[in-house]
Amino acid sequence: MNEQECEQQRWQAAERLALVLNAGGLQRMSARVLAVFLFTGAETVTMGDIADRLSVSAGSVSGAVKTLLSTGLIERLPAPGSRREHYRLREDAWPTLFSTQNTVVHVMLQATQAGMAATSSGDPAHHRLGRMRDFYEFLLEELPGLLRRWQGRQEVT
Amino acid sequence: MNEQECEQQRWQAAERLALVLNAGGLQRMSARVLAVFLFTGAETVTMGDIADRLSVSAGSVSGAVKTLLSTGLIERLPAPGSRREHYRLREDAWPTLFSTQNTVVHVMLQATQAGMAATSSGDPAHHRLGRMRDFYEFLLEELPGLLRRWQGRQEVT
DNA sequence: GCTAAAGTTCGGAAATTTCTGAAGTCTTAC
DNA sequence: GTAAGACTTCAGAAATTTCCGAACTTTAGC
């Protein structure tokens, strides 16, 4: 396998992963940009690098980078007096992504509680909502332990 | 609070929950139909019931019900020689939904492995992909135990 | 078998999301 | 201070998703 073939495969894999990240909840452009951060051979990238690689407009890259920054998946490097800003994937990007996805659970719980307040205890809906609440409360209870176990494993390495 | 106010609140809560389910990955119409299954005061519902409640076309309901059936969130009841098919929320709907959402993780892992195959071990991308793979493999390892603990808690009740 | 109600399918309209491109702002270097 | 490059913003175009509705299929009841 020569170098060109490898590069081709690398970016094919990147686009495939972008599709999955997209299915997992990320916006399409955010997913593609995140894939660049993952698959680039460089330690850091600039917005221009990303725009070139994906052949998309600077505006799109700007928006996606802003989103990824605000969700804590990437970080801006303390720029050494450079003209261009440099960014890179954060070390704990994946636990972060996992955690933010679980904020949805919180909102779900609030909705179930509103529903239970609007139904009497004899109502089948009241019972159903109770079961739903129980499950998601269980999930939230389990979350901290899960992340702690992950961090514990990291320290060993 | 009189009966009408309660009904109004009930379905307001239902629509709110539908929005959250939508944000959590479900299609818009599937989410709204699932909310009806949760919030209805009846034990079971027919497609006609759903269409009336949401004021949407029979076609839309048909599509959404088909999806919810295939993902195991609802079930068709062994119809007692009736003209209309009856459906209801499955008892283990929420663990099921949770598990299906985690099939995304499997696909993600496959993509990381393809990426690692296309990069050499000296490449920064190789290292990044390795970290991503480690985290999601960890998650998959934790999943069975999590569901087992949930089932254990259910049996006690 | 016929009828009528229930459910399904699918083409295209409508609505929403997503991206671009151009204009504007900020920063750096000279 | 000025010019040039990097980044941001936003209105509108493009693409995609989503839904309706009409035609079609199936099934229960007679």
Side-chain angles (χ1 to χ4, degrees):
Chain A
M1 183 159 55
N2 66 35
E3 199 186 324
Q4 265 197 347
E5 281 172 355
C6 244
E7 277 302 287
Q8 205 177 330
Q9 286 208 331
R10 177 202 296 247
W11 295 112
Q12 264 182 16
E15 288 291 349
R16 264 202 300 279
L17 183 58
L19 288 178
V20 183
L21 291 168
N22 188 213
L26 283 180
Q27 305 274 5
R28 180 178 173 71
M29 185 59 75
S30 296
R32 295 186 71 201
V33 170
L34 188 56
V36 173
F37 277 101
L38 253 178
F39 281 81
T40 180
E43 291 292 348
T44 68
V45 291
T46 67
M47 290 195 177
D49 295 338
I50 299 169
D52 289 348
R53 160 101 316 264
L54 298 177
S55 303
V56 297
S57 73
S60 301
V61 175
S62 176
V65 165
K66 188 178 173 182
T67 303
L68 294 175
L69 277 174
S70 74
T71 52
L73 295 177
I74 63 174
E75 61 192 345
R76 177 187 296 176
L77 294 176
S82 164
R83 194 63 166 278
R84 299 173 159 207
E85 306 281 2
H86 281 252
Y87 302 87
R88 73 174 169 204
L89 193 70
R90 282 191 52 190
E91 276 295 309
D92 61 348
W94 306 111
T96 299
L97 180 59
F98 178 69
S99 299
T100 59
Q101 278 172 173
N102 282 102
T103 60
V104 176
V105 176
H106 268 115
V107 190
M108 238 188 288
L109 274 176
Q110 288 172 6
T112 62
Q113 277 151 8
M116 292 184 79
T119 53
S120 62
S121 62
D123 193 320
H126 196 81
H127 177 241
R128 276 184 225 110
L129 288 163
R131 283 187 60 82
M132 179 175 175
R133 179 203 54 193
D134 291 346
F135 180 71
Y136 284 108
E137 273 184 351
F138 167 77
L139 272 192
L140 284 186
E141 282 166 22
E142 291 279 335
L143 212 64
L146 193 86
L147 291 176
R148 211 174 320 117
R149 284 195 291 282
W150 169 248
Q151 283 171 349
R153 179 184 287 200
Q154 291 308 98
E155 281 165 16
V156 174
T157 312
Chain B
M1 184 157 56
N2 67 37
E3 199 186 323
Q4 265 197 348
E5 281 171 357
C6 244
E7 276 303 285
Q8 204 177 330
Q9 286 207 334
R10 179 203 295 248
W11 295 113
Q12 264 181 16
E15 287 291 350
R16 265 202 299 280
L17 183 57
L19 288 178
V20 183
L21 290 168
N22 187 214
L26 283 179
Q27 306 273 7
R28 178 178 177 69
M29 185 60 73
S30 297
R32 294 187 71 201
V33 170
L34 187 57
V36 172
F37 277 102
L38 253 177
F39 280 81
T40 181
E43 290 292 348
T44 68
V45 291
T46 68
M47 288 196 177
D49 296 338
I50 298 168
D52 289 347
R53 159 101 318 260
L54 298 178
S55 304
V56 297
S57 74
S60 301
V61 176
S62 176
V65 165
K66 188 178 173 183
T67 303
L68 294 175
L69 276 174
S70 75
T71 53
L73 295 178
I74 63 175
E75 61 193 344
R76 178 186 296 178
L77 293 176
S82 164
R83 195 61 168 280
R84 299 173 159 209
E85 306 281 0
H86 282 251
Y87 302 88
R88 72 173 170 205
L89 193 69
R90 283 191 51 191
E91 276 294 309
D92 60 346
W94 306 112
T96 299
L97 180 59
F98 180 69
S99 298
T100 60
Q101 277 172 173
N102 281 102
T103 59
V104 174
V105 175
H106 268 114
V107 190
M108 238 189 287
L109 273 175
Q110 288 173 5
T112 61
Q113 277 151 8
M116 291 183 79
T119 52
S120 63
S121 62
D123 195 316
H126 196 80
H127 177 243
R128 275 184 227 112
L129 288 164
R131 283 187 60 82
M132 178 175 175
R133 179 203 54 194
D134 290 346
F135 180 72
Y136 284 108
E137 273 184 351
F138 167 76
L139 272 192
L140 284 186
E141 282 167 22
E142 291 280 333
L143 212 63
L146 193 86
L147 291 174
R148 212 175 318 117
R149 284 195 291 282
W150 168 248
Q151 284 170 349
R153 178 184 288 202
Q154 291 308 98
E155 282 164 16
V156 174
T157 312

